[in-house]
Amino acid sequence: MTATPPQAVATIAEVESPAPRRGRGKKSVWMFVAIVPFLVLVLLFNYLPLAGWVYALFDYRPARGLAGSKFVGLMWFQLLVGSETQVRQIIQVMANTLGMSLLGIASSILPLGFAVFLNEIKAPWFKNAVQTLTTLPNFISWVLVYMIAFSMFSSTGLVNSILIDSGLVTAPIKFLDTDQNVWLTMLAWGVWKTLGWGAILYLASISGIDPSLYESAKVDGAGRFQTMWHITVPELMPTYLVLLLLSVANILNNGMEQYYVFQNAFNKTYIQVLDLYVYNVGMTGNSLSLATAISMLKSVVWVILLLTVNAIAKRVRGTSII
């Protein structure tokens, strides 16, 4: 039996030994320093504003400040369920919120389908052009989107002008100043604005699919649609399910920018979602305390929904989403 030279033993020990703890600790410190700015932003914009919940316990008047406002306890929460008019209004607002959210969840399959078909385009220049044109609207503010909508669909807009000049109609069609099909109209504008952006995540997932699966399918004689249906779509379903569960958890968070710019006296009853209602109560109605109370209840319900969806995901997928 030949003895191992001391130099070889030292070399093997150096190769098999883990990295020095000091070096790993230094790397961890720098990684923590790198995320500190993001932690500060989360603290400032997500957790620090929670201190404003105290306004829900006061009859807050900006001119007097919090110290000069009267403490009313749970009066605003009782007002939400104590007035029949208030209850009817909240029921309508919740119906708008849930209706538009459910329509958005139902249309969440569109970015997946768009990504699948976009991936099948063979000409790189055409694929890049389509992806750019469909992603660009996401970077346009809702104010500009409404300007586009007003220029095209107002009573004096492009579409009505063409219809009247061609003799198809005798009076302008009210596309915007109406309470008809408000939910579907908002859904259509939302899909137009976010379709290309929503497909990016699915395109990234497609690039991670094992190419050998497609090669095996071609060897077995599968066509392009068979390959899409039996390989691409199943491989994207885990990503879709995670995004779907997150959408369900955020069912009360519609945002307000889109609905704020499109609201008017004709469609306000059906376009006012929960976030827009809180804004209108606090700013237009000059009742910041009541708006804070509504926002608090919304946050509590959102946390409950998030925990429920996370429990469902853990049971179904074996892993949680938070």
Side-chain angles (χ1 to χ4, degrees):
M1 183 175 180
T2 304
T4 304
Q7 296 82 355
V9 174
T11 303
I12 294 174
E14 291 175 0
V15 172
E16 293 181 349
S17 63
R21 293 185 178 180
R22 186 175 181 180
R24 285 184 294 176
K26 186 176 181 180
K27 183 178 180 181
S28 300
V29 170
W30 281 111
M31 292 180 64
F32 177 76
V33 170
I35 67 172
V36 165
F38 302 99
L39 294 177
V40 172
L41 290 176
V42 171
L43 178 65
L44 291 177
F45 293 98
N46 292 86
Y47 290 98
L48 189 60
L50 295 180
W53 281 6
V54 69
Y55 291 96
L57 304 177
F58 289 82
D59 184 14
Y60 178 69
R61 292 293 182 267
R64 302 175 185 174
L66 187 62
S69 300
K70 180 182 178 182
F71 179 81
V72 295
L74 300 179
M75 183 190 76
W76 299 113
F77 298 95
Q78 296 171 354
L79 180 63
L80 291 175
V81 295
S83 171
E84 184 178 351
T85 303
Q86 187 76 29
V87 170
R88 285 201 304 266
Q89 190 172 23
I90 290 179
I91 290 175
Q92 180 63 54
V93 169
M94 291 302 299
N96 298 339
T97 302
L98 296 176
M100 293 189 192
S101 294
L102 291 175
L103 286 175
I105 292 174
S107 64
S108 63
I109 195 68
L110 296 179
L112 186 149
F114 179 73
V116 171
F117 283 104
L118 185 62
N119 184 65
E120 294 298 319
I121 298 178
K122 299 303 180 183
W125 67 270
F126 185 67
K127 178 179 179 179
N128 294 335
V130 172
Q131 186 174 0
T132 300
L133 291 175
T134 54
T135 305
L136 188 61
N138 181 74
F139 301 98
I140 302 176
S141 69
W142 279 111
V143 175
L144 294 179
V145 171
Y146 179 74
M147 292 177 62
I148 296 173
F150 186 82
S151 300
M152 295 183 62
F153 298 106
S154 66
S155 299
T156 57
L158 177 64
V159 173
N160 273 312
S161 298
I162 293 176
L163 293 176
I164 292 175
D165 293 342
S166 61
L168 297 176
V169 296
T170 56
I173 300 176
K174 293 185 176 182
F175 293 103
L176 301 177
D177 301 336
T178 179
D179 59 354
Q180 302 296 319
N181 303 319
V182 177
W183 294 0
L184 295 178
T185 302
M186 293 298 99
L187 175 65
W189 283 109
V191 170
W192 173 78
K193 192 174 188 296
T194 60
L195 180 64
W197 179 258
I200 291 179
L201 187 58
Y202 295 110
L203 290 171
S205 299
I206 290 175
S207 65
I209 299 176
D210 188 357
S212 63
L213 296 176
Y214 294 103
E215 295 173 0
S216 300
K218 291 181 180 179
V219 171
D220 293 338
R224 294 180 65 180
F225 283 97
Q226 292 175 320
T227 302
M228 291 163 53
W229 183 252
H230 294 288
I231 296 179
T232 306
V233 173
E235 290 291 325
L236 292 179
M237 288 311 296
T239 302
Y240 173 73
L241 290 176
V242 171
L243 295 178
L244 180 63
L245 291 173
L246 291 175
S247 298
V248 173
N250 286 282
I251 197 170
L252 297 181
N253 297 324
N254 302 82
M256 60 159 283
E257 294 86 357
Q258 175 185 3
Y259 311 103
Y260 177 76
V261 297
F262 276 93
Q263 73 170 342
N264 52 57
F266 300 94
N267 62 15
K268 185 176 181 179
T269 301
Y270 300 102
I271 203 174
Q272 191 169 223
V273 295
L274 189 55
D275 291 325
L276 180 58
Y277 178 67
V278 171
Y279 175 84
N280 287 335
V281 168
M283 304 304 293
T284 306
N286 196 26
S287 182
L288 297 176
S289 298
L290 179 59
T292 304
I294 299 172
S295 182
M296 285 178 62
L297 294 177
K298 173 197 167 186
S299 299
V300 172
V301 173
W302 175 79
V303 171
I304 294 173
L305 286 173
L306 181 61
L307 294 177
T308 303
V309 169
N310 184 65
I312 295 174
K314 193 172 183 178
R315 180 177 292 272
V316 174
R317 302 177 62 248
T319 57
S320 60
I321 59 177
I322 58 175

